[in-house]
């Protein structure tokens, strides 16, 4: 355990986070940049005295539970989490839950695909990133709270006032069954992650269809190579669906493209121009 390096690392991570980043009031007479020590301790569920000793290079070796709490409280990236473990003399094990950190190169890739709708999915089917065409084809994910960006939750639990389920995709039943199988495998990889277990519990309680599929204990699924989106403005859009696995993050890049020279290609071109504007809305 490198106490001095650990102390410096914790202090620099603490100073870069503002109270608003973690939902705390800024208050007045704040003399230190970032969070106070007692605020980090509160977020990590440890005592202020113990955390202070860690920052003063006087603390004992923290347990894995304490390191996990500090990682969450300080909003560490996957690389930073691993570094924290090494400084504490406790080499990191498997991540406690699915990664939500999208590599900058993948974010750049999404926006270099102007004629394709593309999203990045976590292992729990949360939409982590998207390009403008994906927002136009599916919905404006930036306008949604994080929990509503989950495609499995939307497929099984979302209300359907317009009669459409999951953007009106033609293979919604196949997607649902595939998603349950993949989520079953995700639960096996992250058995202690509260978000994974909470999502599954919510789906079991709220959807008889999900409960029936979950009870089958299937963990494999064949990919769907093409599907049709029934868009409320431009009508049906037939697309090819290609999935790129990002194994080190346990994520997927899903890319939707239309065959050249087809009405669906024209529809995607139109959507790329109008974006998320509603052309059918009254003036």
């Amino acid at each position: 355990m490198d106490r001095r390096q650990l102390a410096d690392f914790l202090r620099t991570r603490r100073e870069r986070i503002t109270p608003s980043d973690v939902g705390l009031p800024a208050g007045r007479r704040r003399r230190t940049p970032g969070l106070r020590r007692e605020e980090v301790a509160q977020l990590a569920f440890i005592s202020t005295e113990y955390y202070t000793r860690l920052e003063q290079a006087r603390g004992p070796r923290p347990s894995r539970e304490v390191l996990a709490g500090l990682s969450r409280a300080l909003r560490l990236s996957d690389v930073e989490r691993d570094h924290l473990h090494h400084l504490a003399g406790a080499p990191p094990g498997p991540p406690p839950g699915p990664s939500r950190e999208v590599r900058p190169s993948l974010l750049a890739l999404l926006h270099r695909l102007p004629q394709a709708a593309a999203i990045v999915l976590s292992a729990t089917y949360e939409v982590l990133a998207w390009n403008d065409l994906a927002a136009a084809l599916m919905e404006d994910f930036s306008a949604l709270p994080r929990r509503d960006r989950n495609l499995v939750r939307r497929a099984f639990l979302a209300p359907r006032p317009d009669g459409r389920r999951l953007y009106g995709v033609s293979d919604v039943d196949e997607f649902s069954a595939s998603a349950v199988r993949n989520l079953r495998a995700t639960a096996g990889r992250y058995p202690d992650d509260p978000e994974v277990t909470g999502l599954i519990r919510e789906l079991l309680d709220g959807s008889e269809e999900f409960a029936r599929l979950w009870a089958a204990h299937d963990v494999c699924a064949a990919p769907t190579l093409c599907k049709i989106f029934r868009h409320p403005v431009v009508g049906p859009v037939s697309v090819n669906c290609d999935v790129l696995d990002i194994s080190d993050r346990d994520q997927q890049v899903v890319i939707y493209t239309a065959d050249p020279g087809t009405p669906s290609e024209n529809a995607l071109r139109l959507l790329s121009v109008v974006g998320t504007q509603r052309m059918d809305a009254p003036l």
Side-chain angles (χ1 to χ4, degrees), residues 156-157 200-211:
F156 287 101
L157 301 179
I200 293 170
R201 185 166 52 250
E202 179 184 357
L203 291 166
L204 286 171
D205 292 341
S207 171
E208 293 182 1
E209 179 188 5
F210 180 88

Side-chain angles (χ1 to χ4, degrees), residues 5 83 112 132 179 209:
Q5 290 296 321
H83 183 59
R112 290 173 182 165
D132 292 341
E209 179 188 5

Side-chain angles (χ1 to χ4, degrees), residues 43-59:
L43 293 169
F45 299 103
I46 59 178
S47 71
T48 300
E49 178 186 2
Y50 179 42
Y51 180 76
T52 299
R53 292 177 65 192
L54 288 176
E55 272 206 17
Q56 293 175 343
R58 298 187 299 112

Side-chain angles (χ1 to χ4, degrees), residues 105-151:
S105 59
L106 287 179
L107 295 175
L109 172 64
L110 298 189
H111 297 289
R112 290 173 182 165
L113 300 171
Q115 297 181 21
I119 58 176
V120 178
L121 293 177
S122 75
T124 57
Y125 284 84
E126 179 185 347
V127 179
L128 303 175
W130 57 91
N131 62 8
D132 292 341
L133 188 52
L137 178 65
M138 302 169 77
E139 67 180 311
D140 184 3
F141 295 105
S142 67
L144 300 176
R146 178 189 158 196
R147 74 178 309 279
D148 291 342
R149 296 174 188 168
N150 187 287
L151 298 188

Side-chain angles (χ1 to χ4, degrees), residues 64-281:
R64 290 186 178 275
E65 290 75 15
V66 168
L67 293 173
L70 290 172
S71 297
R72 290 192 300 270
L74 297 172
R75 294 194 161 191
L76 301 186
S77 68
D78 293 344
V79 173
E80 290 171 329
R81 179 188 71 90
D82 290 352
H83 183 59
L84 175 67
H85 276 258
H86 287 297
L87 291 177
S99 175
R100 301 186 64 254
E101 182 184 1
V102 181
R103 286 204 301 261
S105 59
L106 287 179
L107 295 175
L109 172 64
L110 298 189
H111 297 289
R112 290 173 182 165
L113 300 171
Q115 297 181 21
I119 58 176
V120 178
L121 293 177
S122 75
T124 57
Y125 284 84
E126 179 185 347
V127 179
L128 303 175
W130 57 91
N131 62 8
D132 292 341
L133 188 52
L137 178 65
M138 302 169 77
E139 67 180 311
D140 184 3
F141 295 105
S142 67
L144 300 176
R146 178 189 158 196
R147 74 178 309 279
D148 291 342
R149 296 174 188 168
N150 187 287
L151 298 188
V152 178
R153 183 180 281 116
R154 186 177 183 93
F156 287 101
L157 301 179
R160 308 165 199 170
D162 57 358
R164 296 193 314 144
R165 180 185 178 194
L166 196 65
Y167 318 113
V169 294
S170 57
D171 67 329
V172 63
D173 291 334
E174 291 83 353
F175 169 83
S176 299
S178 173
V180 173
R181 297 184 188 110
N182 286 330
L183 195 58
R184 167 72 72 177
T186 297
R189 293 194 299 274
Y190 308 104
D192 300 321
D193 180 61
E195 288 200 17
V196 173
T197 55
L199 174 63
I200 293 170
R201 185 166 52 250
E202 179 184 357
L203 291 166
L204 286 171
D205 292 341
S207 171
E208 293 182 1
E209 179 188 5
F210 180 88
R212 175 178 57 79
L213 293 170
W214 185 259
H217 285 265
D218 294 331
V219 292
C220 61
T224 300
L225 301 181
C226 62
K227 63 179 63 187
I228 299 173
F229 284 86
R230 295 180 178 85
H231 195 274
V233 176
V234 300
V237 183
S238 179
V239 294
N240 302 307
C241 178
D242 293 290
V243 179
L244 308 178
D245 286 320
I246 312 300
S247 58
D248 64 313
R249 300 292 173 92
D250 205 357
Q251 296 170 355
Q252 292 182 328
V253 180
V254 185
I255 303 174
Y256 302 111
T257 56
D259 290 331
T262 63
S264 292
E265 183 188 34
N266 294 333
L268 285 183
R269 289 183 184 275
L270 179 58
L271 287 175
S272 69
V273 174
V274 301
T276 55
Q277 301 178 52
R278 287 293 304 273
M279 294 179 293
D280 58 341

